[in-house]
Amino acid sequence: MGKQPASKLNLPNIRLLMNYDERRQQLADTLKQQTTGTVRLDKTTSNVFRNRPNAQSESLLDVSQFNHVLNVDPQNNLIETEGMTTYEALVDQSLSHGVMPAVVPQLKSITIGGAVSGIGIESSSFRYGLPHESIGEMDVLLGSGEVVTCTPDNEHRDLFYGLANSYGTLGYILRLTVLAIPVKPYIQLTHIRFADADALFDAVRTWTERDIDFIDGTVFQPGKHYLTIGRFVDDAPYTSDYTWMDIYYQSIPTRSEDYLTVRDYLWRWDTDWFWCSKNLYVHNRPMRRLLGRKRLNSITYQKVMRWNTRWGITRRLGYLSGQHRESVIQDIDVPIDRAAEFLDFFHREIGMRPVWICPVRQSVRDEQYPLFPMIAESMYVNFGFWGGVKTKMEMPTGHFNRLIEQKVTELGGIKSLYSDAYFDEAEFWSIYDGDTYAALKTKYDPDGRLKSLYQKCVLRQ
Ligand SMILES: Cc1cc2nc3c(=O)[nH]c(=O)nc-3n(C[C@H](O)[C@H](O)[C@H](O)COP(=O)(O)OP(=O)(O)OC[C@H]3O[C@@H](n4cnc5c(N)ncnc54)[C@H](O)[C@@H]3O)c2cc1C
């Protein structure tokens, strides 16, 4: 079937005046009335980096009204919020109550539902695991229009654990509760340099056992590795500002200590989309002055990159200069014992830099998250790299991404699915627990109103 325009499932406009229960009911009723065809979310922002050339006609479900923080309860360390709330809104509201979500992904526009059903990570993940691990309960809109509440121990516990890495293929999270942790006003940062990868990962092991609050790292090039340790503090001798003229990642090799407000720490990577703003010539000062503080953020870059992808600008320029470029935008996790091996492979075969690293340990729970299996209580290292590899020769489609997939599997690691994936179907399901997924799909989406994970993440439908 050819590609057809998507149709919108229209909802009346009085929703602004409605409370959560009323809006949930209305959305469910709307979906129930639409009994044929597949459905997908209608959202204005997305941090999924995958074109959808094979997308077919689908009904778009407008969930934009599910973006409210419902309650922040610092006494019980709990936040109750709607699924499409951005972390920016969540952070603003929770900080005003002296708490923050236990894990806050680095990009402001990531929504909490996206981080749970896709996979997020941040520098508190060595203690609290991935964002889906600090969730208490969720209301989930199924493809049939029914809404179920799932918790770690009720009759929908299979869905509770199955939602992580399901990418909206089992249902949409409309409301959820999240673990909140108390904050102090400032973060003291310590940047430590390591000359070799073994020393770096040994230090990760040591530091993650200490009384610290955050840890991540930046590999600028072989031999130039930095760990950044963050601690909450009540007072700061000064605070730096990386929201306009100064660039956070450039500060790392130039100073051993730094102080940021909590809010600026949480968004330290957003202003320049880690370092990716460089590709848009935003590192030069006149350009930054021209753009102003407000436009320097991941949402601006996201828009430009989508526009670039749509019009193929980089690809065309590459052809003109006689070069081929493969987009390599990935986050992968490997067990810490194999992390140096991965980095060595990465420098040799892929060669992109810098690389972001972040330790993560799956927190202890009785059950696994079957679609994103990690060994409980084991330390992994996340590697994030976002850019492309240029070659003179034309390589087979997905050549470099495929090398990475194979290496990650060989090292006992796992890859996030927010970007291009090239697994064949059997391999894919052997990694992301096809049997459990099939059982979940049969139970929660028997009519196939939502695409399957393979269709969405590999076939780009
Ligand atoms: C360049 C880049 C860098 C990244 N860096 C980080 C990072 O530093 N830290 C980090 O944590 N993550 C990072 N990510 C990954 C990001 O967290 C995930 O892609 C996440 O899923 C995006 O969330 P979103 O709200 O933008 O969701 P969307 O992009 O809108 O959706 C993602 C998927 O989740 C589904 N979905 C969205 N909302 C819901 C919901 N409420 N219920 C069920 N399904 C839903 C959608 O259908 C879609 O399949 C990065 C991604 C990219 C592309």
Side-chain angles (χ1 to χ4, degrees), residues 41 43 45-50 83-84 105-107 109-115 117-122 131 167-168 171-174 273-274 329 331 356 386 418 456:
L41 290 182
K43 285 183 70 202
T45 58
S46 171
N47 290 285
V48 162
F49 262 65
R50 199 172 27 238
M84 314 302 158
Q106 299 88 330
L107 309 179
S109 65
I110 293 178
T111 62
I112 185 153
S117 59
I119 296 291
I121 185 164
E122 230 296 59
Y167 281 85
Y172 297 122
I173 305 161
L174 299 183
W273 212 11
F274 290 83
I329 296 177
D331 273 70
W356 183 66
W386 312 287
Y418 67 71
K456 233 176 155 171

